[in-house]
Amino acid sequence: MDDTRLTLRLDFGANRSIGPGKVRLLEAIGRTGSISQAGRELGMSYRRAWLLVNDLNLCFQQAVVSAHPGGSQGGGAQLTKFGQKLVADYRAIENDAFSAVKSHLRDLESSLRPADPVAVEKPKKTSIRSRTR
Amino acid sequence: MDDTRLTLRLDFGANRSIGPGKVRLLEAIGRTGSISQAGRELGMSYRRAWLLVNDLNLCFQQAVVSAHPGGSQGGGAQLTKFGQKLVADYRAIENDAFSAVKSHLRDLESSLRPADPVAVEKPKKTSIRSRTR
């Protein structure tokens, strides 16, 4: 059961939240330097991507993305220093949460039905690995 | 810190997962003794609720819900012992994860923009409590 993954969502109340979708979007913006391209990578419209970024910019005291107008799709964009810290913090929280509940997860995994007929042959003892980030 | 909530989703690979939606459904089934009524409480169709229960029953070696045929909407249902344990385990995992990342969360909270005091358009269900900074 190497591939058990834990994903978390944080709700700060009053419709302010951060979860895997927004974080993946931020990571893609950091990688591509573009909100529209990041959105495309994740299969979302520019409008949807922009709204998520806007949500985040309004959620925190500091902006997470700085966008530069220009180009038919909204120009370039980059993570601010705070945006980079936010992504790193979220991933650290995810890792810490995962570490904290590993023994619980191992317990749950032992209750799983084998994924497919072939998996019946696999040894029951399982190891938990955090996914590559 | 008062308002911040952590929600988690566990993916075991091969389309097997458990998260807040399935767990709330199980809790509602435990409470109502009925898949259809539990689904209604959560605003989902009987079909949707049944499919989620079926997913879970196929995910683990033991069934999580035992359903008794009868009635136009599928008769009664109850959590199995394993189903009760699964819900308790999930909630314990959530609690442990939350405890493990509390200081991270406090840090993030200090970066939040104060919730908009001028949200007069919508009636608020809950008052906004002051946060620990």
Side-chain angles (χ1 to χ4, degrees):
Chain A
M1 229 32 67
D2 296 340
D3 45 2
T4 293
R5 295 184 317 169
L6 177 152
T7 313
L8 55 82
R9 173 189 162 95
L10 303 172
D11 285 282
F12 301 111
N15 294 324
R16 300 180 303 170
S17 67
I18 185 163
K22 284 176 181 166
V23 169
R24 273 198 297 267
L25 179 63
L26 291 182
E27 288 168 337
I29 290 170
R31 207 165 50 238
T32 63
S34 155
I35 294 176
S36 59
Q37 199 177 326
R40 265 197 303 278
E41 272 194 12
L42 301 175
M44 60 176 80
S45 66
Y46 175 68
R47 180 182 155 76
R48 168 85 180 142
W50 188 90
L51 286 173
L52 290 177
V53 166
N54 194 50
D55 268 3
L56 285 167
N57 278 342
L58 292 176
C59 183
F60 295 97
Q61 290 165 32
Q62 298 175 63
V64 295
V65 170
S66 64
H68 318 291
S72 63
Q73 297 265 346
Q78 58 186 23
L79 295 189
T80 62
K81 241 192 172 105
F82 175 74
Q84 291 168 26
K85 180 182 178 303
L86 180 63
V87 170
D89 282 351
Y90 176 88
R91 292 306 186 192
I93 288 172
E94 218 171 36
N95 273 326
D96 287 1
F98 187 84
S99 299
V101 302
K102 260 186 187 167
S103 64
H104 270 305
L105 292 183
R106 190 163 292 135
D107 197 41
L108 265 192
E109 284 171 342
S110 70
S111 308
L112 286 173
R113 190 188 290 257
D116 54 60
V118 181
V120 175
E121 310 305 326
K122 286 184 185 166
K124 192 101 176 274
K125 184 89 170 72
T126 60
S127 66
I128 300 173
R129 267 199 320 233
S130 181
R131 69 184 143 150
T132 331
R133 295 176 203 275
Chain B
M1 203 64 175
D2 298 339
D3 286 343
T4 296
R5 294 183 320 168
L6 177 152
T7 313
L8 56 81
R9 176 188 161 96
L10 303 172
D11 285 282
F12 301 111
N15 294 325
R16 299 180 303 168
S17 66
I18 185 163
K22 284 175 181 167
V23 170
R24 272 197 297 266
L25 179 62
L26 291 182
E27 288 168 336
I29 290 170
R31 209 164 47 238
T32 63
S34 154
I35 294 177
S36 59
Q37 199 177 326
R40 265 197 304 278
E41 272 194 12
L42 301 174
M44 61 176 77
S45 66
Y46 174 69
R47 180 182 156 75
R48 167 88 180 138
W50 187 89
L51 285 173
L52 290 176
V53 166
N54 194 50
D55 268 3
L56 285 167
N57 278 342
L58 293 175
C59 184
F60 295 98
Q61 290 165 35
Q62 298 175 64
V64 296
V65 170
S66 66
H68 318 290
S72 62
Q73 297 262 347
Q78 57 187 24
L79 296 188
T80 62
K81 243 194 171 104
F82 176 74
Q84 291 169 25
K85 180 181 177 304
L86 180 64
V87 169
D89 282 351
Y90 176 89
R91 292 303 185 194
I93 289 173
E94 214 170 40
N95 274 326
D96 287 0
F98 187 81
S99 299
V101 303
K102 258 187 188 164
S103 63
H104 270 304
L105 293 183
R106 192 162 288 136
D107 198 41
L108 264 192
E109 284 172 342
S110 69
S111 308
L112 286 173
R113 189 188 291 258
D116 190 356
V118 204
V120 270
E121 320 285 304
K122 298 183 215 159
K124 284 203 185 94
K125 277 178 263 164
T126 56
S127 60
I128 296 165
R129 284 172 284 180
S130 59
R131 299 162 188 290
T132 36
R133 305 264 155 158

